[in-house]
Amino acid sequence: MEDDILMQRAKGGDHDAFRQVVERYQREIYNYFIRSTGSIEDSEDMTQHCFVNLYNSLGRYRRSASLRTFIYRIATNLAISFSRKRKLPLSLDILVEGGCDPASESSSDRPEDLAYVRELQQAYVESLAKLPAEWSMILDLRIGKELSYKEIADAVGRSVSSVESILFRAREKLSAGMAPFLSR
Amino acid sequence: MDCNDFEKLAGRVLDGEAAPEEATALEAHAASCESCGVLIGDLSALGRLHSGLPELEPPAGLTDRIMAGIKRFETGRTGWIWRVLVPAAAAVFVLLGIRIGTQITDAWFGEPAVVQHSEVTGLEHLDVYPPDSFGKAIELAAKGEDDE
């Protein structure tokens, strides 16, 4: 069933329809929070919070808007607010320890190649964690979630040109952090 | 296209946001400029690294916990009716009950209503007793005694 129909039913008090929305989007929203918090517990709390906020915003949802973008807008606000309160530097080690299989990234089975891929991944998540929170979120919305510039602009409340500029600077900074591994 | 233009455009091309002619110009420049060719290769590699980041499975039962949170939220949203309106309505009913009860008690057991003097002003010219009444006869008899 289409998002719009589910949302209209949810507006009418249909909890099963809203449950389907949750089931459809919770995984990607949870992972969006994982990449912005680096914490399983915080990501779970924030995912719950995000969907409660979505439920509370049912009246503001319009058919013309993409539900996915609408949810990411709520999620981004939560993630930015969380990052402002964070006292410790962000660590995304969970992405390397938690499930990143080096073998899936490497065409080789040789231990030294797998070790290199692991090292590369570790360096990448460390560089990603050093980016300003909003930059890494925008980068993830573009590369990880494949949102268009316009959708990202709607989700983060910026102009398209601002999104483009942030992506440019984020890539520049990532390239600098990854310089030892890159061919330049 | 020079190398500065290339650098600015590279991200848009990788993101699929550039116009077809921009993408063609970028490819042509990358083919003729070694450092820009390397740059686009590096940016692509970064993109692949990011795309390769793992997606973790949400904890089991997350959907149920989210739906339970929504029920709690709904209860909280309507809870003020029970916390504020119901006690207020109860208080109004109690006060009304006391008022009505007092009126019923007065009507049944209390003093009869006293007609205030102000309510009969303008009738002073009338005799206290009707002309053929027993009271009038006594009054006239008393007057006669005085006359005698």
Side-chain angles (χ1 to χ4, degrees), chain A residues 9-154:
Chain A
R9 289 190 178 178
K11 265 188 201 181
D14 183 344
H15 274 213
D16 287 340
F18 193 77
R19 189 184 179 93
Q20 285 186 57
V21 171
V22 172
E23 284 169 348
R24 188 170 292 175
Y25 289 104
Q26 67 172 358
R27 190 176 194 272
E28 64 175 288
I29 293 299
Y30 174 74
N31 277 282
Y32 183 58
F33 287 133
I34 286 280
R35 291 178 189 189
S36 53
T37 67
S39 155
I40 285 178
E41 292 78 16
D42 290 331
S43 297
E44 183 177 345
D45 286 349
M46 289 168 75
T47 305
Q48 287 190 46
H49 204 150
C50 178
F51 283 102
V52 171
N53 283 5
L54 174 66
Y55 189 81
N56 192 26
S57 308
L58 281 174
R60 290 201 297 275
Y61 175 73
R62 298 284 170 268
R63 268 175 178 265
S64 54
S66 147
L67 174 59
R68 193 166 178 241
T69 309
F70 192 72
I71 296 175
Y72 272 116
R73 179 165 207 149
I74 295 171
T76 301
N77 285 338
L78 285 171
I80 288 175
S81 168
F82 180 88
S83 73
R84 286 185 184 139
K85 291 176 195 157
R86 186 172 50 226
K87 293 187 176 77
L88 296 172
L90 173 64
S91 164
L92 294 175
D93 288 351
I94 188 174
L95 293 177
V96 181
E97 296 159 1
C100 202
D101 179 10
S104 67
E105 300 295 316
S106 168
S107 53
S108 164
D109 287 337
R110 291 192 310 163
E112 58 268 33
D113 289 345
L114 296 180
Y116 175 74
V117 170
R118 173 78 75 177
E119 196 183 346
L120 196 63
Q121 288 168 338
Q122 183 68 43
Y124 183 73
V125 296
E126 281 173 14
S127 299
L128 194 62
K130 284 179 190 159
L131 291 180
E134 194 186 13
W135 292 17
S136 75
M137 282 172 218
I138 287 174
L139 193 77
D140 193 44
L141 289 173
R142 174 61 217 121
I143 305 177
K145 315 302 179 203
E146 297 184 336
L147 264 63
S148 70
Y149 286 4
K150 172 74 175 65
E151 288 171 324
I152 297 170
D154 287 344

Side-chain angles (χ1 to χ4, degrees), chain B residues 6-54:
Chain B
F6 181 92
E7 204 173 331
K8 283 176 191 162
L9 189 59
R12 272 171 61 195
V13 171
L14 287 174
D15 292 334
E17 297 270 347
E21 58 272 20
E22 288 178 314
T24 307
L26 190 110
E27 273 178 37
H29 181 82
S32 62
C33 172
E34 192 183 344
S35 67
C36 286
V38 170
L39 171 67
I40 198 83
D42 286 349
L43 291 177
S44 300
L46 287 177
R48 282 196 303 276
L49 270 173
H50 194 100
S51 302
L53 291 176

